Amino acid sequence: MKYETQKVALPFFMVAMALFALQIVFGLLAATVYIAPNFMAELMPFNIMRVSHTNLLIVWLLIGFMGATYYLMPEETEREIHSPGLAYLQLAIFAFAGAAALVGYQFGIHEGREFLEQPFWIKVLITISYLMFLFNTSMTLLKGRKTAINLVLMLGLSLAAVFWLFAFYNPSNLAVDKLYWWWVVHLWVEGVWELIMASLLGYLLIKMSGVDREVIEKWLYVIVGLSLFSGLLGTGHHYYWIGAPSYWQPIGSIFSTLEVIPFFAMVVFAFYMFWKGSRNHPNKAAMLWSLGCPTIAFFGAGVWGFMHTLSFINYYTHGTQVTAAHGHLAFYGAYVMLILAIVTYALPQLRRTQPYNQVMNMWGFWIMTAAMCFMTFTLTFAGVVQTHLQRVLGMNYMEVQSQLDLFYVMRLGAGVAVAVAAGLLLYSFFGPAREQVPATSKPLTAAE
Amino acid sequence: MTEGLTKAAARNIFYGGSLFFFLLFAALTAHSHWYMVNESTDSEGLSESVELGKHVWEENMCINCHSIMGEGAYFAPELANVWERYGGHENPEGARMALTAWMKAQPTGAPGRRQMPQFNLSDEELNALIDFLKWTDSINDQEWPPHPAG
């Protein structure tokens, strides 16, 4: 850690990890209801568990993005953060807004559009905090060195704010509502968030592989170009069945198929750079996450997305457990693993120790990744059975669901394994530091 | 990457291409908006009651159990075509009565069956919610879902 203000990132990572743990708790509760439907039916209905699970994910990922940005910005711009005080203040506002939303949900205080359930005043607080974050990081960037990494990152973060504004537009025509709802949801996760993902990965690769910045930054532009060229019109795969014109079926099918390419490019990018790189970085756990992230993102977002994206297939699979399977692995691979990679890389430096608890961290990686894959497989099989019974044979929804119990039991089992892995990871991050550097690496000489 | 591509060229392609695709996407979205208002949805039938019904739908966060036009939580049945499933096309009065009775009977408390909470809606709210679901059923959505089962 070369710059004092990089330490601003630490509380962001701590809050993000705490909310990650809570997200898993709500996920376990919801998964339990699937196999024991009367579980907590009066105390906390399923919709409350589900909104808590999804909102916590979004909030902790955003806080993770912020922490990552504060961490890398001084190194990339070669100057200190514009205002550390502002950073702490905007974190406090953001965390308060998230916590207030979560508590409010338990008492039925919410709006009612999926993922945008936050009450109006909380949306306003989130916007204010996020604008403070953009101001703080942009001021740092303006006065410092501009690199492809920090420019693409700031572009992604800023565009996320622009598209977020559609969350405030709720027309009474449901079809029009959905048309613009996707301008937030899709243009975030299959659009501008990919800019954030690629630039953060690029940063990790520069730091850990030692490959020349020019090479990595050229790749970065190619990847984010592929992301937006495919991802913008790829939104069409959400416009098949909501009352939009039929031309979205060919457009959505073609462009969302192309969305697989940038994810594949990121896999090649990461592996090629580590293979080419000369640096033998001692933080092997961070390398593992940096390679795992694009790999699982390719399968979760790319392959599992492609599986049901063609309109004539989606006609049958739309809104079944196939979607749930894809959603879980895509978010895990592309964004959860990304933040965990950054945290694994940055925390030892923020805590001013050598890479530590690496073995436990890597156990966390393998258990969590295997469990998420298993969860995805069970939901995929559930979705295939559901698609056939309900969409092809026309069986009643509830009857079909009663055929899927076995898959839901296995999904809960996978969820428990994810929780165990999360425990290991949190302990390896925040527990007592045990220095574990592989024998092949020499100790760090300077903060890298 | 081929050696011929410079970083500056890659950057310019990224910015130019993204702008091009964004403008194309925005134009198609604008057309889709026009199409929805004028062609695929019943704008004239979008009454105050339908609007209130959408509000009731949101206030009770139905989307985090049910799905509507395939979007939502997949934990409970699809509702964009519930009007059709309850026979609303043939017998609107019967469908309205059946839906009302169903909502009022929740939760069933049946062991081993997913429970829907009792939302204690007023008669006006219940009617509005049904108007909203009936209006949604009338959207021309490329014949989705494939079966009335949803």
Side-chain angles (χ1 to χ4, degrees):
Chain A
M1 201 170 77
K2 280 186 195 147
Y3 296 87
E4 191 51 33
T5 51
Q6 284 182 284
K7 72 175 193 300
V8 165
L10 184 58
F12 282 82
F13 292 151
M14 291 166 83
V15 173
M17 289 301 106
L19 298 182
F20 177 36
L22 256 184
Q23 186 216 342
I24 294 174
V25 171
F26 281 100
L28 287 174
L29 291 177
T32 306
V33 177
Y34 265 92
I35 60 171
N38 302 72
F39 175 69
M40 290 176 81
E42 303 286 321
L43 202 62
M44 193 194 293
F46 181 86
N47 62 345
I48 304 296
M49 296 173 182
R50 207 258 183 177
V51 69
S52 306
H53 181 61
T54 56
N55 276 236
L56 278 163
L57 170 69
I58 300 165
V59 168
W60 85 254
L61 288 179
L62 286 171
I63 293 177
F65 288 159
M66 291 175 182
T69 306
Y70 282 124
Y71 183 79
L72 71 77
M73 204 49 104
E75 283 182 14
E76 287 293 302
T77 58
E78 299 180 330
R79 68 183 300 279
E80 299 286 352
I81 293 290
H82 174 69
S83 164
L86 193 62
Y88 294 129
L89 178 63
Q90 73 77 189
L91 172 64
I93 295 173
F94 206 94
F96 169 76
L102 183 66
V103 173
Y105 294 158
Q106 315 311 315
F107 297 96
I109 303 164
H110 46 68
E111 292 185 1
R113 295 193 299 158
E114 196 183 5
F115 311 132
L116 306 179
E117 296 93 345
Q118 313 80 32
F120 175 76
W121 65 274
I122 287 184
K123 286 197 178 82
V124 172
L125 277 186
I126 288 173
T127 311
I128 292 171
S129 166
Y130 198 86
L131 289 178
M132 289 162 74
F133 161 73
L134 286 182
F135 171 76
N136 206 3
T137 45
S138 300
M139 288 302 284
T140 313
L141 176 62
L142 281 175
K143 292 178 197 162
R145 179 179 66 148
K146 282 124 193 115
T147 67
I149 301 282
N150 60 22
L151 286 174
V152 170
L153 177 62
M154 286 310 296
L155 182 68
L157 292 164
S158 308
L159 288 175
V162 172
F163 292 122
W164 161 252
L165 296 178
F166 285 93
F168 291 94
Y169 176 56
N170 183 7
S172 53
N173 184 319
L174 182 70
V176 179
D177 171 358
K178 284 172 176 288
L179 184 71
Y180 292 103
W181 180 80
W182 284 114
W183 273 59
V184 189
V185 177
H186 175 96
L187 292 186
W188 270 26
V189 300
E190 293 173 61
V192 298
W193 279 26
E194 283 183 46
L195 271 55
I196 300 169
M197 176 188 174
S199 55
L200 292 180
L201 267 182
Y203 168 77
L204 288 172
L205 293 179
I206 287 179
K207 291 292 161 184
M208 285 192 287
S209 75
V211 170
D212 186 47
R213 177 182 286 276
E214 278 298 304
V215 179
I216 286 184
E217 294 195 333
K218 185 167 78 178
W219 270 79
L220 176 63
Y221 278 122
V222 171
I223 288 169
V224 294
L226 291 169
S227 296
L228 290 190
F229 300 170
S230 61
L232 287 166
L233 288 176
T235 317
H237 65 184
H238 302 294
Y239 290 169
Y240 296 157
W241 327 115
I242 62 167
S246 58
Y247 55 67
W248 286 112
Q249 297 191 18
I251 294 176
S253 297
I254 292 167
F255 281 89
S256 64
T257 299
L258 298 177
E259 282 184 47
V260 181
I261 297 173
F263 283 108
F264 186 69
M266 277 193 258
V267 179
V268 178
F269 177 50
F271 278 85
Y272 184 59
M273 292 306 153
F274 273 118
W275 176 73
K276 207 177 160 190
S278 52
R279 189 173 297 170
N280 193 4
H281 199 277
N283 196 336
K284 300 296 177 201
M287 287 173 65
L288 185 60
W289 285 102
S290 306
L291 289 170
C293 164
T295 307
I296 301 297
F298 168 67
F299 283 102
V303 177
W304 255 255
F306 173 69
M307 195 163 70
H308 59 143
T309 202
L310 298 173
S311 63
F312 47 90
I313 293 172
N314 190 261
Y315 182 66
Y316 294 100
T317 59
H318 181 50
T320 63
Q321 295 298 321
V322 173
T323 317
H326 160 59
H328 279 87
L329 201 61
F331 263 100
Y332 175 68
Y335 301 119
V336 173
M337 293 181 82
L338 176 69
I339 301 298
L340 293 177
I342 295 267
V343 172
T344 300
Y345 172 77
L347 259 189
Q349 301 181 37
L350 288 166
R351 292 179 65 188
R352 297 188 185 287
T353 53
Q354 294 293 316
Y356 57 87
N357 295 350
Q358 286 210 60
V359 176
M360 186 182 280
N361 182 306
M362 287 192 255
W363 273 106
F365 171 93
W366 285 111
I367 296 173
M368 188 177 278
T369 303
M372 286 306 298
C373 289
F374 189 79
M375 184 187 294
T376 303
F377 299 149
T378 62
L379 290 176
T380 306
F381 288 122
V384 171
V385 172
Q386 183 189 5
T387 300
H388 185 72
L389 295 181
Q390 189 181 321
R391 296 288 168 68
V392 179
L393 301 182
M395 258 170 80
N396 168 284
Y397 176 90
M398 292 304 279
E399 259 178 78
V400 173
Q401 289 297 314
S402 66
Q403 302 291 314
L404 305 177
D405 279 349
L406 175 66
F407 300 113
Y408 293 140
V409 171
M410 292 196 288
R411 187 262 295 271
L412 178 61
V416 171
V418 170
V420 170
L424 291 177
L425 279 176
L426 290 179
Y427 187 84
S428 81
F429 289 151
F430 300 110
R434 244 179 87 206
E435 195 174 306
Q436 289 170 329
V437 179
T440 51
S441 301
K442 44 185 199 300
L444 272 181
T445 45
E448 294 282 17
Chain B
M1 286 303 107
T2 52
E3 295 303 319
L5 183 72
T6 64
K7 188 171 105 182
R11 184 191 61 212
N12 295 342
I13 293 170
F14 163 63
Y15 282 115
S18 298
L19 188 65
F20 169 78
F21 281 107
F22 176 75
L23 292 175
L24 190 57
F25 176 60
L28 288 174
T29 302
H31 174 260
S32 298
H33 186 150
W34 177 90
Y35 177 87
M36 284 169 163
V37 172
N38 295 293
E39 301 281 338
S40 64
T41 69
D42 176 16
S43 289
E44 277 169 30
L46 211 172
S47 62
E48 271 179 35
S49 180
V50 172
E51 249 178 82
L52 173 64
K54 184 170 185 276
H55 183 69
V56 172
W57 166 266
E58 290 171 1
E59 203 170 25
N60 294 286
M61 214 161 61
C62 311
I63 194 86
N64 272 305
C65 287
H66 292 277
S67 59
I68 191 160
M69 304 177 99
E71 289 154 13
Y74 333 119
F75 179 73
E78 164 66 34
L79 293 183
N81 67 338
V82 71
W83 184 248
E84 177 195 4
R85 199 155 58 237
Y86 272 64
H89 294 180
E90 299 82 32
N91 180 2
E93 274 318 298
R96 188 172 291 270
M97 277 169 60
L99 281 166
T100 307
W102 176 257
M103 288 288 295
K104 287 191 169 167
Q106 302 306 312
T108 62
R113 193 181 196 284
R114 294 180 190 174
Q115 298 298 313
M116 174 159 140
Q118 174 54 249
F119 291 104
N120 298 311
L121 301 183
S122 69
D123 287 346
E124 188 198 5
E125 287 172 325
L126 248 178
N127 256 318
L129 181 62
I130 294 169
D131 284 341
F132 167 66
L133 293 171
K134 180 184 170 195
W135 182 87
T136 302
D137 181 63
S138 74
I139 297 175
N140 175 4
D141 61 358
Q142 322 285 338
E143 306 297 317
W144 193 88
H147 280 278

